[in-house]
Amino acid sequence: KQEVTQIPAALSVPEGENLVLNCSFTDSAIYNLQWFRQDPGKGLTSLLLIQSSQREQTSGRLNASLDKSSGRSTLYIAASQPGDSATYLCAVRMDSNYQLIWGAGTKLIIKP
Amino acid sequence: DTGVSQDPRHKITKRGQNVTFRCDPISEHNRLYWYRQTLGQGPEFLTYFQNEAQLEKSRLLSDRFSAERPKGSFSTLEIQRTEQGDSAMYLCASAAAAPDNEQFFGPGTRLTVL
């Protein structure tokens, strides 16, 4: 059974710092992996999707990497801003299944 | 805005009442998903439609839960005889066909059962 873990559960950093959020999964036979952002009480915004054949994806200040063999993905945020404060979740889609399997998220606070 | 929409955004009900939520996906998306999320947790999968066919249903979904997508467009999720444990955010997502199957989420319906 696939399990997705995100550590740490919460992270607080000063504005302007570069930071890395971690996501690990137990079964490497994934189809793709998505990173999402969730603001308090709101729905989910898709940030990046990485196919199993890809190693990384970039969008603006965000860069997501994928290492299937080690069961890990990272989300790198450059030059953090207070507006980046949110909960970041990763989710994987397995080969033979259509649903997403989710981590519990990392709550990020960027201090001005 | 042509994103995923959900109605209502908030619902407060008394235990034992029935509730129904609606999801309107992105118009060209044929795949539709329902998830449930409780505070501090990631979403949990409930059910999945491809067009009007319900292809997968989680074991989390008790007999009190039913979902439909009658014309392959909007979907409804009904909870009968609500219980306090049903209090959660109910999220809907839609996706186009493969290969990416990138899921786009609506704002959610927050259910509170008193």
Side-chain angles (χ1 to χ4, degrees):
Chain A
K1 178 188 171 187
Q2 177 71 278
E3 292 183 359
V4 180
T5 304
Q6 292 184 250
I7 295 173
L11 181 64
S12 180
V13 301
E15 180 179 3
E17 283 198 5
N18 303 325
L19 59 99
V20 174
L21 305 180
N22 297 298
C23 173
S24 60
F25 45 94
T26 55
D27 186 343
S28 62
I30 66 170
Y31 184 81
N32 59 34
L33 182 147
Q34 264 183 278
W35 281 93
F36 293 86
R37 168 186 173 136
Q38 187 171 36
D39 292 288
K42 301 291 180 63
L44 294 144
T45 301
S46 178
L47 298 173
L48 290 163
L49 180 147
I50 311 177
Q51 298 291 358
S52 61
S53 58
Q54 296 174 324
R55 296 300 299 266
E56 65 178 333
Q57 283 285 338
T58 298
S59 176
R61 294 183 294 109
L62 305 180
N63 176 277
S65 69
L66 175 64
D67 184 343
K68 273 183 59 176
S69 61
S70 67
R72 298 179 69 176
S73 176
T74 61
L75 180 67
Y76 174 83
I77 303 176
S80 59
Q81 304 170 356
D84 295 330
S85 298
T87 296
Y88 290 81
L89 296 108
C90 69
V92 301
R93 181 190 168 203
M94 304 305 294
D95 274 329
S96 59
N97 206 327
Y98 299 102
Q99 63 169 287
L100 290 173
I101 301 168
W102 298 79
T106 295
K107 183 175 181 179
L108 177 64
I109 297 173
I110 306 299
K111 296 175 290 187
Chain B
D1 187 349
T2 56
V4 179
S5 62
Q6 292 187 245
D7 184 70
R9 296 290 304 276
H10 304 274
K11 178 72 176 178
I12 300 173
T13 191
K14 293 182 179 178
R15 188 173 51 187
Q17 298 294 305
N18 299 342
V19 294
T20 300
F21 309 142
R22 177 179 170 124
C23 171
D24 286 88
I26 294 171
S27 59
E28 60 268 27
H29 286 180
N30 66 340
R31 299 181 176 188
L32 188 147
Y33 307 79
W34 285 99
Y35 294 86
R36 177 173 66 187
Q37 185 180 27
T38 53
L39 200 62
Q41 300 297 316
E44 297 174 297
F45 171 77
L46 294 178
T47 191
Y48 157 67
F49 290 85
Q50 185 167 315
N51 300 312
E52 65 275 10
Q54 188 174 20
L55 296 186
E56 192 174 354
K57 190 174 174 180
S58 168
R59 280 169 282 184
L60 293 174
L61 222 59
S62 74
D63 291 344
R64 297 185 296 107
F65 288 71
S66 62
E68 293 183 343
R69 195 183 183 197
K71 298 182 180 178
S73 56
F74 73 91
S75 175
T76 58
L77 177 68
E78 182 184 15
I79 309 174
Q80 296 182 329
R81 305 181 303 282
T82 52
E83 302 173 356
Q84 287 185 324
D86 297 331
S87 296
M89 175 77 89
Y90 288 83
L91 296 163
C92 175
S94 71
D100 282 357
N101 197 43
E102 184 173 2
Q103 296 186 20
F104 296 89
F105 282 77
T109 294
R110 180 165 294 284
L111 173 66
T112 302
V113 182
L114 302 176

